[in-house]
Amino acid sequence: MFSTVDQASGDRYATTTSDPLETEKLLRDTADTLVKYLTSSNDVSAPVVKLSSPDSMESDFAAVGVPLELRDGEGPVSGPDLHKALETTLDLCVRTSHPYFLNQLYAGADRAGVAADWAVVAANTNVHTYEVAPVFTMVEQKVLQKLARVIGGRFQAASDGLFVPGGSIANTYAMHLARRRADPAANTRGMAGGPRLVAFTSEHAHYSYKKAAMLMGLGSDNLVAVACDAAGAMKPDALRSAMQEARDKGKIPFFIGATAGTTVTGAFDPFLALADVAEAEHAWLHVDGAWGGAALLSPTARIELMAGSARADSVAWNAHKLMGMPLQCSAFVTAHPGALKVRDTCHHTPGVPQRTPCHPG
Ligand SMILES: Cc1ncc(COP(=O)(O)O)c(C=O)c1O
């Protein structure tokens, strides 16, 4: 395994032994322990968690020879000690596959998904170019195309997307693409000197919209929280009035951040009515389906809750929530092919298939 030396102090940092046999044993023991952990996870006689204080956790890890504190000058950890640390970790973890794990938003993990995650870690590739990750590039494309077909409508005809590190980032991508459409020069000029753009979400929308507004330099004052009905869904009339008010102040409404399944109450915004508003106002409609996007998989819920979502410009979908994929599995899908392409730069090899092609053909 890896070992590096701090040139200044001479300290040696290593993960564990460099002996190949010990390394292989560590991998086999790890696999056995993890399989046992998963197959026993529905044992209701075990607690969901043995909640431990930080001090007691520090002593537990020190007792097995792998202190949590990364002390200077320590040598490498042995394979057997590392394995004991794994057992201690699993013992002190919250068992999210336990039938009594009733925390919010997610639980357990599909076993095939766990196996796939292990494969991804073992392959250790970065899906940034086709050359370095041909299989995973294809897998990503095909899964995103399937999600687009499930969303349906305009997404079936044409789509693009990415797996991203969370629903918050997916919402940020949406707002960013919306700004690029409303003010293409903003990417190079910056926000200063451009049109006064304003975005709209419901008062129950996830706080990631606010973070996105701050990160993009839009400013949270230019993110309007639209009033909701008693069920927590955005009121289309309130949206229309808020947009008009913004226009009266010389601002340009460019983005409507709708939600399929609000974080606290699980409300679904009325996408059909919101799509009408978005089309009339030439605003980008994004559906944050991080929590409730999987309602599209139910023949009744897709009509009762998701109608109109296929008219959106983009959708965020966290498969680690209602679909039980292992954390973190978040898709961003847009109905605008090529929208994710960085237009001014191209690092791709002509003729080699890319996730978002730069070269015709
Ligand atoms: C509606 C909604 N949107 C976005 C997010 C953010 O997702 P993530 O935690 O994957 O960034 C959440 C998370 O709870 C959510 O409930």
Side-chain angles (χ1 to χ4, degrees):
M1 293 232 174
F2 298 111
S3 161
T4 52
V5 177
D6 180 334
Q7 297 301 326
S9 66
D11 286 351
R12 179 158 170 243
Y13 298 97
T15 45
T16 182
T17 174
S18 56
D19 175 350
L21 286 179
E22 197 179 325
T23 304
E24 187 177 332
K25 181 167 165 33
L26 175 66
L27 288 174
R28 288 186 191 285
D29 289 350
T30 300
D32 283 350
T33 299
L34 292 178
V35 170
K36 256 185 241 149
Y37 176 76
L38 287 171
T39 50
S40 66
S41 61
N42 57 358
D43 173 8
V44 288
S45 68
V48 176
V49 60
K50 296 178 191 167
L51 197 58
S52 166
S53 70
D55 283 349
S56 121
M57 215 185 290
E58 298 233 25
S59 350
D60 288 343
F61 279 93
V64 297
V66 187
L68 289 176
E69 185 73 38
L70 298 176
R71 292 191 287 248
D72 296 343
E74 289 284 327
V77 174
S78 76
D81 281 355
L82 206 56
H83 188 255
K84 280 187 240 150
L86 167 68
E87 290 175 328
T88 307
T89 303
L90 296 176
D91 193 43
L92 298 177
C93 262
V94 175
R95 292 179 166 250
T96 62
S97 293
H98 193 290
Y100 297 158
F101 173 75
L102 301 172
N103 202 258
Q104 68 272 39
L105 302 169
Y106 76 99
D110 180 275
R111 297 300 182 250
V114 173
D117 248 18
W118 290 348
V120 166
V121 172
N124 190 39
T125 51
N126 187 337
V127 193
H128 54 184
T129 66
Y130 181 84
E131 289 93 327
V132 83
V135 181
F136 293 136
T137 301
M138 292 301 285
V139 169
E140 184 183 35
Q141 254 187 14
K142 298 296 177 194
V143 177
L144 288 165
Q145 284 164 8
K146 173 70 184 173
L147 291 178
R149 288 199 300 279
V150 173
I151 298 166
R154 62 197 298 206
F155 287 78
Q156 246 171 327
S159 66
D160 202 346
L162 279 174
F163 275 90
V164 294
S168 302
I169 299 290
N171 290 345
T172 308
Y173 267 58
M175 207 184 270
H176 177 69
L177 294 189
R179 182 181 66 182
R180 181 144 99 181
R181 188 172 76 174
D183 178 19
N187 275 0
T188 42
R189 182 202 61 232
M191 290 297 280
R196 294 168 65 203
L197 299 177
V198 61
F200 300 82
T201 58
S202 89
E203 56 189 351
H204 285 285
H206 192 256
Y207 60 87
S208 52
Y209 280 128
K210 192 169 181 182
K211 286 199 292 187
M214 291 170 168
L215 276 169
M216 281 175 43
L218 184 72
S220 54
D221 284 353
N222 292 308
L223 178 70
V224 176
V226 178
C228 289
D229 63 19
M234 199 193 301
K235 286 182 178 170
D237 285 347
L239 174 64
R240 275 189 213 96
S241 317
M243 283 180 142
Q244 188 52 53
E245 203 177 307
R247 284 202 183 280
D248 292 345
K249 290 181 185 155
K251 297 184 178 182
I252 298 179
F254 78 109
F255 177 80
I256 301 170
T259 309
T262 54
T263 313
V264 178
T265 58
F268 286 71
D269 288 337
F271 305 117
L272 278 173
L274 300 190
D276 288 344
V277 178
E279 281 160 23
E281 294 276 350
H282 305 293
W284 184 286
L285 176 63
H286 173 67
V287 173
D288 172 7
W291 190 83
L296 285 164
L297 299 170
S298 150
T300 45
R302 68 175 289 126
I303 296 167
E304 288 169 12
L305 300 174
M306 297 299 287
S309 59
R311 285 169 59 195
D313 294 282
S314 55
V315 172
W317 187 336
N318 275 2
H320 61 261
K321 289 180 178 154
L322 280 181
M323 285 171 77
M325 287 298 112
L327 285 155
Q328 180 87 339
C329 183
S330 301
F332 172 76
V333 192
T334 168
H336 303 287
L340 290 159
K341 199 167 73 174
V342 181
R343 291 197 178 87
D344 301 337
T345 51
C346 169
H347 310 289
H348 298 156
T349 312
V352 174
Q354 304 296 342
R355 292 191 298 175
T356 49
C358 301
H359 304 285

